[in-house]
PDB file of all heavy atoms in Angstrom:
ATOM      1  N   TYR P 124      70.320 -29.692  71.132  1.00  0.00           N
ATOM      2  CA  TYR P 124      69.622 -28.458  70.673  1.00  0.00           C
ATOM      3  C   TYR P 124      70.476 -27.185  70.761  1.00  0.00           C
ATOM      4  O   TYR P 124      71.201 -26.968  71.725  1.00  0.00           O
ATOM      5  CB  TYR P 124      68.361 -28.383  71.382  1.00  0.00           C
ATOM      6  CG  TYR P 124      68.283 -27.942  72.739  1.00  0.00           C
ATOM      7  CD1 TYR P 124      68.268 -26.674  73.194  1.00  0.00           C
ATOM      8  CD2 TYR P 124      68.393 -28.883  73.757  1.00  0.00           C
ATOM      9  CE1 TYR P 124      68.377 -26.247  74.536  1.00  0.00           C
ATOM     10  CE2 TYR P 124      68.416 -28.437  75.196  1.00  0.00           C
ATOM     11  CZ  TYR P 124      68.302 -27.114  75.437  1.00  0.00           C
ATOM     12  OH  TYR P 124      68.401 -26.730  76.760  1.00  0.00           O
ATOM     13  N   SER P 125      70.185 -26.379  69.774  1.00  0.00           N
ATOM     14  CA  SER P 125      70.744 -24.997  69.989  1.00  0.00           C
ATOM     15  C   SER P 125      69.695 -23.982  70.470  1.00  0.00           C
ATOM     16  O   SER P 125      68.559 -23.895  69.865  1.00  0.00           O
ATOM     17  CB  SER P 125      71.230 -24.516  68.647  1.00  0.00           C
ATOM     18  OG  SER P 125      71.694 -23.223  68.663  1.00  0.00           O
ATOM     19  N   ASP P 126      70.090 -23.192  71.414  1.00  0.00           N
ATOM     20  CA  ASP P 126      69.073 -22.112  71.913  1.00  0.00           C
ATOM     21  C   ASP P 126      69.352 -20.780  71.195  1.00  0.00           C
ATOM     22  O   ASP P 126      68.749 -19.854  71.706  1.00  0.00           O
ATOM     23  CB  ASP P 126      69.157 -21.932  73.371  1.00  0.00           C
ATOM     24  CG  ASP P 126      70.440 -21.652  73.925  1.00  0.00           C
ATOM     25  OD1 ASP P 126      71.464 -21.138  73.047  1.00  0.00           O
ATOM     26  OD2 ASP P 126      70.630 -21.615  75.161  1.00  0.00           O
ATOM     27  N   GLY P 127      70.084 -20.783  70.158  1.00  0.00           N
ATOM     28  CA  GLY P 127      70.354 -19.506  69.447  1.00  0.00           C
ATOM     29  C   GLY P 127      71.678 -18.933  69.978  1.00  0.00           C
ATOM     30  O   GLY P 127      72.089 -17.956  69.432  1.00  0.00           O
ATOM     31  N   THR P 128      72.115 -19.491  71.088  1.00  0.00           N
ATOM     32  CA  THR P 128      73.598 -19.044  71.519  1.00  0.00           C
ATOM     33  C   THR P 128      74.525 -20.078  71.598  1.00  0.00           C
ATOM     34  O   THR P 128      75.759 -19.857  71.219  1.00  0.00           O
ATOM     35  CB  THR P 128      73.334 -18.497  72.980  1.00  0.00           C
ATOM     36  OG1 THR P 128      72.449 -17.319  72.953  1.00  0.00           O
ATOM     37  CG2 THR P 128      74.684 -17.824  73.635  1.00  0.00           C
ATOM     38  N   ASP P 129      74.143 -21.273  72.056  1.00  0.00           N
ATOM     39  CA  ASP P 129      74.920 -22.441  72.214  1.00  0.00           C
ATOM     40  C   ASP P 129      74.254 -23.625  71.980  1.00  0.00           C
ATOM     41  O   ASP P 129      73.048 -23.741  71.993  1.00  0.00           O
ATOM     42  CB  ASP P 129      75.734 -22.372  73.641  1.00  0.00           C
ATOM     43  CG  ASP P 129      77.045 -23.064  73.625  1.00  0.00           C
ATOM     44  OD1 ASP P 129      77.390 -23.645  72.550  1.00  0.00           O
ATOM     45  OD2 ASP P 129      77.725 -23.057  74.560  1.00  0.00           O
ATOM     46  N   VAL P 130      75.025 -24.825  71.850  1.00  0.00           N
ATOM     47  CA  VAL P 130      74.524 -26.137  71.730  1.00  0.00           C
ATOM     48  C   VAL P 130      74.468 -26.771  73.078  1.00  0.00           C
ATOM     49  O   VAL P 130      75.456 -26.791  73.744  1.00  0.00           O
ATOM     50  CB  VAL P 130      75.230 -26.974  70.654  1.00  0.00           C
ATOM     51  CG1 VAL P 130      74.745 -28.382  70.691  1.00  0.00           C
ATOM     52  CG2 VAL P 130      75.077 -26.377  69.270  1.00  0.00           C
ATOM     53  N   ILE P 131      73.297 -27.402  73.446  1.00  0.00           N
ATOM     54  CA  ILE P 131      73.180 -28.123  74.758  1.00  0.00           C
ATOM     55  C   ILE P 131      72.880 -29.568  74.539  1.00  0.00           C
ATOM     56  O   ILE P 131      72.068 -29.815  73.629  1.00  0.00           O
ATOM     57  CB  ILE P 131      71.957 -27.438  75.420  1.00  0.00           C
ATOM     58  CG1 ILE P 131      72.410 -26.027  75.958  1.00  0.00           C
ATOM     59  CG2 ILE P 131      71.809 -28.251  76.729  1.00  0.00           C
ATOM     60  CD1 ILE P 131      71.908 -24.927  74.957  1.00  0.00           C
ATOM     61  N   LYS P 132      73.488 -30.310  75.368  1.00  0.00           N
ATOM     62  CA  LYS P 132      73.264 -31.873  75.228  1.00  0.00           C
ATOM     63  C   LYS P 132      72.045 -32.150  76.026  1.00  0.00           C
ATOM     64  O   LYS P 132      71.983 -32.009  77.314  1.00  0.00           O
ATOM     65  CB  LYS P 132      74.556 -32.549  75.809  1.00  0.00           C
ATOM     66  CG  LYS P 132      74.376 -34.189  75.814  1.00  0.00           C
ATOM     67  CD  LYS P 132      75.611 -34.825  76.117  1.00  0.00           C
ATOM     68  CE  LYS P 132      76.043 -34.621  77.477  1.00  0.00           C
ATOM     69  NZ  LYS P 132      77.226 -35.521  77.801  1.00  0.00           N
ATOM     70  N   ALA P 133      70.996 -32.626  75.414  1.00  0.00           N
ATOM     71  CA  ALA P 133      69.684 -32.908  76.101  1.00  0.00           C
ATOM     72  C   ALA P 133      69.660 -34.414  76.383  1.00  0.00           C
ATOM     73  O   ALA P 133      68.878 -34.901  77.201  1.00  0.00           O
ATOM     74  CB  ALA P 133      68.485 -32.624  75.288  1.00  0.00           C
ATOM     75  N   GLY P 134      70.447 -35.269  75.695  1.00  0.00           N
ATOM     76  CA  GLY P 134      70.323 -36.750  75.897  1.00  0.00           C
ATOM     77  C   GLY P 134      71.547 -37.498  75.222  1.00  0.00           C
ATOM     78  O   GLY P 134      72.246 -36.872  74.355  1.00  0.00           O
ATOM     79  N   GLU P 135      72.003 -38.599  75.761  1.00  0.00           N
ATOM     80  CA  GLU P 135      73.205 -39.323  75.194  1.00  0.00           C
ATOM     81  C   GLU P 135      72.827 -40.825  75.287  1.00  0.00           C
ATOM     82  O   GLU P 135      72.462 -41.288  76.306  1.00  0.00           O
ATOM     83  CB  GLU P 135      74.455 -38.980  75.999  1.00  0.00           C
ATOM     84  CG  GLU P 135      75.630 -39.683  75.407  1.00  0.00           C
ATOM     85  CD  GLU P 135      76.959 -39.326  76.329  1.00  0.00           C
ATOM     86  OE1 GLU P 135      76.674 -38.633  77.377  1.00  0.00           O
ATOM     87  OE2 GLU P 135      77.944 -39.660  75.876  1.00  0.00           O
ATOM     88  N   HIS P 136      72.912 -41.528  74.137  1.00  0.00           N
ATOM     89  CA  HIS P 136      72.809 -42.915  74.122  1.00  0.00           C
ATOM     90  C   HIS P 136      74.341 -43.462  74.107  1.00  0.00           C
ATOM     91  O   HIS P 136      75.000 -43.259  73.024  1.00  0.00           O
ATOM     92  CB  HIS P 136      72.056 -43.399  72.958  1.00  0.00           C
ATOM     93  CG  HIS P 136      72.052 -44.911  72.778  1.00  0.00           C
ATOM     94  ND1 HIS P 136      71.325 -45.733  73.721  1.00  0.00           N
ATOM     95  CD2 HIS P 136      72.525 -45.729  71.835  1.00  0.00           C
ATOM     96  CE1 HIS P 136      71.596 -46.983  73.383  1.00  0.00           C
ATOM     97  NE2 HIS P 136      72.175 -47.060  72.131  1.00  0.00           N
TER      98      HIS P 136
END
Side-chain angles (χ1 to χ4, degrees):
Y124 70 90
S125 172
D126 61 6
T128 301
D129 209 350
V130 172
I131 294 91
K132 180 173 69 176
E135 179 179 12
H136 175 67

